[in-house]
Amino acid sequence: MSVLEKRLTDRSGNKCEFCGYEHDLQIYQVPPTSEGTLDDSIYACKNCVAQIEDPEKVDPNHWRCLNESMWSEHLPVQIVAWRMLNRLRSEGWPQDLLDMMYLDDEALAWAKATEDTQDEAEKIIHKDSNGNILADGDSVVLIKDLDVKGANFTAKRGTAVHRISLVWDNAEQIEGRVEGQQIVILTQYVKKTK
């Protein structure tokens, strides 16, 4: 066992620093600044490392463990937690955790220093209640009566909303005009029309 592995074992309590699994543990060096020190390495299970390294293998439910591990006092754990939450933000719940997380400017620059966190806006995909991808200018139909906050009316089920606009930083929201008013509508309550 190397000196680094011994120190990581002590720091982690011989558990994965993300999910707490106690087997198949290995050192993961956090790119791109990794020099193989305690300050840029993590002790993690093979399952977590495989998902960190290959976005195609990511199981969103596995990463619910970040609800606790994102609060680690160790910066490399925080960095990778931020990256994974960012990668999973379209699931909904990771965005709530990201909103609570704080990284100073230097740490945030490190967290954003990998390709898979760049061009975040392009990764936000809006889908209707049936999973169809929505785009600016599409038409949708409401599938539920919606009480419009701040206005004194209910948008009725079956109402067509034409030329929608996507809310660029939230995959669960679109904007559209109903009864002459521009309103925000949750994508789960609309169905794309052909």
Side-chain angles (χ1 to χ4, degrees), residues 30-45:
V30 182
T33 59
S34 196
E35 298 170 5
T37 68
L38 192 64
D39 294 330
D40 59 21
S41 301
I42 294 169
Y43 211 38
C45 69

Side-chain angles (χ1 to χ4, degrees), residues 13-172:
N14 204 28
K15 294 177 182 172
C16 175
E17 292 188 271
F18 297 112
C19 70
Y21 191 63
E22 298 180 8
H23 304 286
D24 297 323
L25 301 172
Q26 64 188 69
I27 297 171
Y28 175 73
Q29 296 184 346
V30 182
T33 59
S34 196
E35 298 170 5
T37 68
L38 192 64
D39 294 330
D40 59 21
S41 301
I42 294 169
Y43 211 38
C45 69
K46 285 184 179 173
N47 185 19
C48 283
V49 172
Q51 293 186 50
I52 290 166
E53 293 179 338
D54 185 354
E56 299 296 312
K57 293 182 179 175
V58 173
D59 170 10
N61 283 326
H62 174 81
W63 291 100
R64 289 189 180 268
C65 61
L66 293 176
N67 192 26
E68 291 186 24
S69 52
M70 69 182 246
W71 302 110
S72 171
E73 62 187 276
H74 306 293
L75 187 57
V77 178
Q78 294 173 30
I79 297 298
V80 176
W82 186 93
R83 288 178 182 173
M84 292 307 296
L85 289 170
N86 200 58
R87 187 185 293 175
L88 294 165
R89 67 191 316 159
S90 65
E91 295 289 317
W93 61 264
Q95 183 63 54
D96 294 336
L97 297 180
L98 275 171
D99 290 344
M100 289 188 279
M101 197 168 185
Y102 173 78
L103 295 175
D104 64 31
D105 292 343
E106 189 177 328
L108 193 58
W110 181 16
K112 290 181 174 180
T114 57
E115 287 179 25
D116 92 324
T117 60
Q118 294 168 354
D119 299 320
E120 296 165 18
E122 293 175 21
K123 293 186 177 185
I124 293 180
I125 298 171
H126 295 71
K127 294 183 181 180
D128 74 359
S129 59
N130 293 328
N132 297 312
I133 295 176
L134 298 170
D136 279 322
D138 280 347
S139 292
V140 296
V141 171
L142 301 181
I143 61 168
K144 176 183 178 190
D145 287 354
L146 302 175
D147 288 325
V148 181
K149 292 180 181 166
N152 294 327
F153 72 94
T154 299
K156 297 289 185 189
R157 178 181 176 182
T159 300
V161 183
H162 301 288
R163 295 190 306 280
I164 63 166
S165 301
L166 305 181
V167 176
W168 70 271
D169 62 346
N170 189 332
E172 297 176 5

